[in-house]
Amino acid sequence: MTESQLPDWTDQKMATKVRTALWLATEVGEGNVYTKEQLRAAFPDVTQIDRRVRELRDYGWVIATNRDDPRLTSHEARFVQAGDPVWEPGARARALRERRPLATLHSASVERVPETRFTDAVRVHRPQDPEAVWERLKDLSQGERSLVLAWIAMGRRPSSPAELTWRAFRSLSERQRLEMAARLGELVSSELYEELPVAEERGDDS
């Protein structure tokens, strides 16, 4: 089931836990950061909405906080990975019957996240050594250090144009994604072809 086919998260006939899962899946997107303010604004009439999100971990949903990911502030969380489709009939009961201990499930799910998804892989319950962090900061170029300093001053890392584009792409239907992928392939192919040396294009006649 694609995102465009998922139930409407604003449907108040559904359980709050289901609505929060759908909100994460359709409004935030895997790998993206959201703030507590955004969550509470989406569910203004729900008390303890943070708890409803945490309960999704029982179903294999991975949500990282600043305790898991030092790049996050205390007001941010990252939707790392979706778990069981709790909006489907019987999915919640089936998941609870089959689930492993919560700590094991949460840790294993985070460790399965590909390292290419983030600048560094999210590591649960592995606090960084301050001196190791300092050594990494010293190894950066002057421009990179300035960029990190700006992020520290802002208290967050702004999404790059590529990340924003990826999120917009994920909002498309499956058919639209396929069409977009084909168009992007043609564009990248033409750009690479234009960069080929002239001699290589016409071949070696000598």
Side-chain angles (χ1 to χ4, degrees):
M1 181 179 290
T2 64
E3 290 180 14
S4 60
Q5 296 173 318
L6 294 177
D8 182 2
W9 70 271
T10 63
D11 185 356
Q12 298 192 6
K13 295 179 182 178
M14 295 185 294
T16 301
K17 189 182 301 180
V18 173
R19 293 179 58 208
T20 55
L22 289 167
W23 180 77
L24 288 171
T26 59
E27 297 298 314
V28 179
E30 286 188 347
N32 293 315
V33 173
Y34 66 91
T35 65
K36 293 182 179 180
E37 289 73 18
Q38 290 172 324
L39 176 62
R40 290 166 184 164
F43 299 90
D45 301 324
V46 180
T47 58
Q48 297 183 323
I49 186 62
D50 293 337
R51 178 180 295 180
R52 302 285 84 79
V53 172
R54 289 196 298 271
E55 289 173 353
L56 288 173
R57 291 174 175 171
D58 289 352
Y59 305 93
W61 290 66
V62 185
I63 296 96
T65 65
N66 63 328
R67 289 175 295 182
D68 310 317
D69 184 347
R71 293 169 297 163
L72 299 173
T73 70
S74 59
H75 299 289
E76 294 178 324
R78 188 189 299 278
F79 171 34
V80 179
Q81 187 176 47
D84 294 293
V86 294
W87 49 85
E88 293 182 357
R92 281 174 288 171
R94 182 172 62 253
L96 289 177
R97 285 196 305 268
E98 299 174 352
R99 80 172 188 263
R100 291 168 288 168
L102 177 57
T104 302
L105 177 62
H106 181 55
S107 178
S109 297
V110 172
E111 293 298 330
R112 287 198 303 268
V113 178
E115 300 230 355
T116 54
R117 178 168 292 172
F118 311 127
T119 304
D120 295 305
V122 178
R123 302 298 183 187
V124 177
H125 306 310
R126 295 186 186 180
Q128 296 287 316
D129 175 61
E131 288 304 312
V133 175
W134 175 244
E135 290 300 319
R136 295 181 66 174
L137 286 170
K138 290 198 300 182
D139 288 341
L140 297 175
S141 67
Q142 183 177 359
E144 290 172 328
R145 283 196 294 270
S146 298
L147 186 59
V148 171
L149 182 59
W151 293 347
I152 293 172
M154 291 187 293
R156 63 186 181 88
R157 180 177 67 85
S159 297
S160 68
E163 289 171 325
L164 294 174
T165 302
W166 166 245
R167 184 172 178 181
F169 173 79
R170 286 177 55 83
S171 70
L172 301 176
S173 68
E174 185 174 7
R175 179 183 60 80
Q176 291 171 329
R177 290 183 190 181
L178 290 174
E179 293 175 350
M180 191 70 65
R183 292 173 61 185
L184 181 59
E186 292 177 359
L187 176 60
V188 172
S189 178
S190 64
E191 290 173 337
L192 291 175
Y193 183 79
E194 290 174 359
E195 293 176 0
L196 290 174
V198 174
E200 188 176 324
E201 286 185 38
R202 60 171 188 258
D204 187 356
D205 297 329
S206 57

